[in-house]
């Protein structure tokens, strides 16, 4: 098929098509982005409630978590990393996830964690420690593997990467029984 454009305009046409294609790819953005803007964790306050049970996150120790789903601009919060993993790893979880954040317990105060949000998928986790979160035994989250190992040496447990966490490690079976504030 012959183009109806003069020969001198052909390079312009190719440049225009290349620019359009590049623009479309850029508009899609990288994983974990929203409209070209990188997603950032939302800090909790005194009124931030858990998406599962309505518990106020600020009232409890241990690492918190938040998941940004593709169908919502704001995150769903979890008062415990076990809850987050319990929901995220469910086979029936089909909502597209844009980003997951947990708190770096190498920087945050265990008893009153604030800030220190990190990408959950790059974090290191301690399973089976003696430290408790809002729902009893919890999964400690750390930005640095060395911090996770130090925590495990002090409080017991095993250090694992995000992808090594399995559904049977994040069972939500009666955490309310451990909750002394309810």
């Amino acid at each position: 098929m012959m183009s109806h454009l003069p020969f001198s305009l052909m390079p312009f046409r190719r440049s225009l098509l290349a620019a359009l294609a590049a623009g479309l790819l850029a508009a899609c953005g990288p994983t974990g982005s929203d409209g070209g803007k990188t997603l950032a964790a939302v800090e909790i306050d005194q009124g931030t409630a858990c998406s599962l049970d309505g518990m106020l996150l600020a009232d409890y120790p241990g690492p918190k978590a938040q998941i940004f789903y593709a169908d919502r601009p704001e995150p769903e919060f979890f008062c415990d990393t076990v809850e987050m993993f319990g929901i995220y790893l469910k086979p029936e979880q089909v909502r597209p996830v844009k980003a997951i954040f947990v708190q770096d317990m190498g920087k945050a105060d265990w008893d009153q964690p604030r800030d220190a949000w990190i990408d959950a998928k790059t974090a290191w986790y301690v399973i089976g420690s003696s430290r408790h979160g809002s729902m009893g035994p919890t999964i400690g989250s750390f930005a640095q593997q060395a911090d996770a190992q130090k925590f495990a040496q002090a409080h017991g447990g095993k250090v694992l990467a995000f992808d090594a966490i399995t559904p049977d490690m994040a069972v939500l079976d009666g955490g309310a029984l451990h909750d002394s504030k309810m």
Side-chain angles (χ1 to χ4, degrees):
M1 183 168 142
M2 287 192 68
S3 172
H4 296 290
L5 292 173
F7 185 73
S8 64
L9 291 178
M10 292 300 282
F12 172 76
R13 180 178 171 188
R14 273 185 243 133
S15 296
L16 180 62
L17 289 174
L20 286 171
L24 287 172
L25 288 173
C28 293
T31 302
S33 70
D34 187 22
K37 294 163 97 175
T38 301
L39 286 172
V42 176
E43 185 51 48
I44 63 172
D45 60 30
Q46 293 301 317
T48 306
C50 178
S51 297
L52 290 180
D53 53 25
M55 292 171 55
L56 296 176
L57 276 65
D59 289 350
Y60 297 92
K64 313 300 182 237
Q66 51 187 282
I67 298 177
F68 280 89
Y69 292 104
D71 61 347
R72 292 181 48 153
E74 67 281 341
E76 289 192 8
F77 289 96
F78 300 91
C79 55
D80 196 293
T81 51
V82 173
E83 289 181 335
M84 179 276 293
F85 276 113
I87 295 302
Y88 180 75
L89 296 175
K90 280 186 174 183
E92 62 271 17
Q93 200 307 91
V94 295
R95 292 170 69 189
V97 172
K98 292 191 293 186
I100 306 173
F101 295 99
V102 292
Q103 290 176 304
D104 178 4
M105 300 315 290
K107 293 183 179 174
D109 177 338
W110 189 276
D111 294 321
Q112 294 186 331
R114 297 289 183 271
D115 299 315
W117 293 101
I118 56 174
D119 180 347
K121 292 185 177 184
T122 63
W124 293 91
Y125 297 91
V126 178
I127 305 287
S129 81
S130 61
R131 297 299 308 259
H132 284 197
S134 66
M135 303 302 281
T138 194
I139 301 172
S141 49
F142 299 86
Q144 304 297 318
Q145 185 177 17
D147 289 342
Q149 290 170 333
K150 182 179 174 183
F151 179 87
Q153 289 172 349
H155 304 286
K158 181 178 179 180
V159 176
L160 298 171
F162 181 88
D163 291 336
I165 308 289
T166 61
D168 63 314
M169 295 175 187
V171 177
L172 301 172
D173 61 353
L177 298 176
H178 304 288
D179 185 3
S180 62
K181 294 186 180 185
M182 287 184 78

